[in-house]
Amino acid sequence: MGIADIPIFSMLRTRMEWHQSRQKVLAENVANADTAGYRPRDLVAPNFERETQRPVIGVSLSTTEGGHIAAGATDRAPFRSRAGGYEVRPTGNAVSLEEQMMKVAANQMDFQAATSLYTHSLNLIKTALGRR
Amino acid sequence: MDFLRTMAIAASGLRAQAGRMRVISENIANADSTPARPDADPYRRKLLSFTSEFDREIAARTVGIGRVRPDTSDFRLKYEPGHPAADQNGNVKYPNVNSMVEMTDMREAQRSYEANVNLITATRRMLQRTIDILKA
């Protein structure tokens, strides 16, 4: 069982992947900020409430004793995207640069929070291993 | 690697805005380019359009420069009887370039360029944070 299979790490990884994909979508929006007829898109945030309660599907190791940690293959679907933008210019373009910049900043800060959490969680494991 | 793709998309935006700047500067530089003869046409303003194209390699919609088309609006007429290109009535055809329009267009290009640079900076920082996990 790898470190990535521990729930907190897998969740943080999902979160980071989501931020990564979102950054890409935001870059598309900004690059096309002056393209006629372009409508911006955004990604729907992953729902972890469901993630934490969901039984592990796919091929997984069975837990026969209380001390076992469940490890499984979780193949996730790509993140869902949704159309955004409510302010359409005469050219049919609905990208608002200010809005996109706000989203980029928020995305970056949330990503930093996720990486910090990841680092701290790693430190927790290192402490448990007695390597600190 | 999605971050590198993000940068590629932003770079396509930078390229497109730089191309737009080139056309704008061409228009501004030629704002007073009159013809040499009375029957000839002066410089005609150029218009650039952006196209959104799907890049299969990075699986994203990047921006590209479409065709550069001439502006078909009328030329400005100025009364200058002594000008070598003046017609019988003493009017000279000046290019259909309005510096005010070009200026606003330039500001918009600059703003979009900055937005793309901002995105690259933010993405670089995120990439750096990911690498920092290794150092922990």
Side-chain angles (χ1 to χ4, degrees), chain A residues 75-86:
Chain A
D75 280 329
R76 264 182 222 90
F79 303 106
R80 280 183 301 135
S81 72
R82 65 159 175 245
Y86 40 86

Side-chain angles (χ1 to χ4, degrees), chain A residues 33 36 38 41 44 61 64 69 71-72 79 84 87 94 96 99-100 102 108-111 117 123 132:
Chain A
Y38 183 86
R41 291 186 305 142
V44 179
L61 299 176
T64 50
I69 302 172
F79 303 106
E87 187 188 290
S96 153
E99 193 192 343
Q100 299 300 326
M102 294 253 299
Q108 190 194 339
M109 285 191 325
D110 290 348
F111 185 83
L117 256 172
N123 284 344
R132 286 176 74 80

Side-chain angles (χ1 to χ4, degrees), chain A residues 23 108, chain B residues 3 7 118-131:
Chain A
Q23 188 80 355
Q108 190 194 339
Chain B
F3 278 143
M7 294 212 201
N118 194 359
L119 233 146
I120 291 183
T121 318
T123 309
R124 261 192 53 197
R125 215 164 284 156
M126 284 166 84
L127 199 54
Q128 191 61 47
R129 294 294 295 204
T130 318
I131 296 170

Side-chain angles (χ1 to χ4, degrees), chain A residues 16 20-21 23-24 27-28 30-32 34-35 38 97-98 101 104 108 111-112 115-116 118-119 126, chain B residues 2-3 6 9 17 20 50 52 58-59 61 63 108 111-112 116 118-119 122-123 125-126 129-130 136:
Chain A
M16 280 155 72
Q20 207 175 7
S21 304
Q23 188 80 355
K24 191 176 138 203
E28 277 179 72
V30 171
N32 286 295
D34 294 313
T35 310
Y38 183 86
L97 273 186
E98 290 80 9
M101 288 298 105
V104 168
Q108 190 194 339
F111 185 83
Q112 283 193 4
T115 52
S116 302
Y118 201 100
T119 313
K126 278 187 190 162
Chain B
D2 256 10
F3 278 143
T6 307
I9 298 166
Q17 298 300 339
R20 185 182 181 186
F50 291 142
S52 180
I58 57 177
R61 285 175 74 184
V63 66
E108 202 182 301
R111 214 171 68 110
S112 302
N116 278 299
N118 194 359
L119 233 146
T123 309
R125 215 164 284 156
M126 284 166 84
R129 294 294 295 204
T130 318

Side-chain angles (χ1 to χ4, degrees), chain B residues 53-112:
Chain B
E53 46 202 37
F54 190 81
D55 191 325
R56 283 176 186 281
E57 201 178 331
I58 57 177
R61 285 175 74 184
T62 57
V63 66
I65 297 177
R67 279 179 45 217
V68 178
R69 288 163 305 165
D71 184 342
T72 51
S73 62
D74 291 337
F75 294 118
R76 282 182 292 146
L77 281 183
K78 249 189 198 175
Y79 183 68
E80 277 179 31
H83 200 282
D87 58 10
Q88 295 95 332
N89 304 323
N91 287 327
V92 182
K93 277 194 221 162
Y94 270 78
N96 51 353
V97 176
N98 185 343
S99 342
M100 196 66 91
V101 172
E102 301 301 328
M103 281 301 180
T104 47
D105 222 18
M106 194 177 84
R107 297 300 295 203
E108 202 182 301
Q110 191 184 359
R111 214 171 68 110
S112 302

